[in-house]
Amino acid sequence: MVNKEPDLEQVPEVSATSRRSMEIAISIGLLALGIIVVGDSWRIGASWAEDGPQAGYFPFYIGLIICITSLINLIKAFKASADESFVSKKALGLVLTVLLPTIVYVGLIQWLGIYLASTLFIAAFMWRLGGYGLAMIVPISIGVSLLFFVMFEMWFTVPLPKGPIEAMLGLA
């Protein structure tokens, strides 16, 4: 008896969401943005004054253009076929393996400072996605952060967010 497993390249990918639903969501988001711009521009003055345009004159019309084009795209999206895939679950998973840790990294910068957060971020990616061992991870992740510290803090004299480690070392 032969075990017949399906060829993974032959298996159709399952859609995570349709192109239609993404176009509707983006159109609604841009419409909301346009409404905010129009409303705030109107609040600060969106007409022509004696000495020229008021502060909200040009942003008002930009917001109005965003609203009109978003409505056109929204109407087109509702008329489109719901069968076309926007992204497969597999592809979305690959994007999320980078996006979610990056969001955590940005949050960690607030508490740990950019250098410690960067060291942890590089180490996590090398371990999880690269499959490297500690002998490679430790010197590279620490070395890159030290190089950036020297480059930004000493050479360019551009202070970046610091955390508790830098404060303990008197570098903050």
Side-chain angles (χ1 to χ4, degrees), residues 91-105:
L92 182 61
L94 291 173
V95 169
L96 292 177
T97 60
V98 175
L99 178 64
L100 296 178
T102 303
I103 292 169
V104 171
Y105 164 66

Side-chain angles (χ1 to χ4, degrees), residues 59-82:
F60 174 81
Y61 287 103
I62 299 294
L64 197 58
I65 290 169
I66 291 172
C67 287
I68 292 168
T69 56
S70 296
L71 283 172
I72 292 169
N73 285 335
L74 188 61
I75 291 166
K76 284 183 177 182
F78 276 115
K79 292 180 180 179
S81 169

Side-chain angles (χ1 to χ4, degrees), residues 97-121:
T97 60
V98 175
L99 178 64
L100 296 178
T102 303
I103 292 169
V104 171
Y105 164 66
V106 170
L108 284 177
I109 290 173
Q110 306 303 314
W111 292 286
L112 301 178
I114 195 162
Y115 302 111
L116 180 56
S118 296
T119 301
L120 296 173
F121 183 68

Side-chain angles (χ1 to χ4, degrees), residues 142-165:
I142 293 173
V144 168
S145 292
L146 284 175
L147 175 71
F148 283 138
F149 178 83
V150 169
M151 186 170 64
F152 284 104
E153 302 288 336
M154 295 178 174
W155 296 345
F156 299 149
T157 62
V158 175
L160 295 177
K162 311 252 185 341
I165 300 293

Side-chain angles (χ1 to χ4, degrees), residues 5-132:
E5 293 184 26
D7 184 9
L8 293 178
E9 292 180 10
Q10 300 289 331
V11 176
E13 292 194 19
V14 179
S15 178
T17 187
S18 69
R19 180 175 172 178
R20 177 182 182 216
S21 63
M22 289 306 298
E23 287 184 6
I24 289 170
I26 297 299
S27 296
I28 290 171
L30 287 173
L31 179 62
L33 175 71
I35 290 169
I36 291 169
V37 170
V38 165
D40 203 42
S41 297
W42 189 263
R43 182 186 61 81
I44 62 173
S47 60
W48 200 268
E50 291 178 15
D51 58 342
Q54 293 177 321
Y57 183 80
F58 292 108
F60 174 81
Y61 287 103
I62 299 294
L64 197 58
I65 290 169
I66 291 172
C67 287
I68 292 168
T69 56
S70 296
L71 283 172
I72 292 169
N73 285 335
L74 188 61
I75 291 166
K76 284 183 177 182
F78 276 115
K79 292 180 180 179
S81 169
D83 295 336
E84 189 176 356
S85 175
F86 178 74
V87 65
S88 68
K89 286 187 178 183
K90 181 179 177 182
L92 182 61
L94 291 173
V95 169
L96 292 177
T97 60
V98 175
L99 178 64
L100 296 178
T102 303
I103 292 169
V104 171
Y105 164 66
V106 170
L108 284 177
I109 290 173
Q110 306 303 314
W111 292 286
L112 301 178
I114 195 162
Y115 302 111
L116 180 56
S118 296
T119 301
L120 296 173
F121 183 68
I122 293 167
F125 265 81
M126 287 181 73
W127 173 69
R128 181 80 173 129
L129 297 179
Y132 293 99

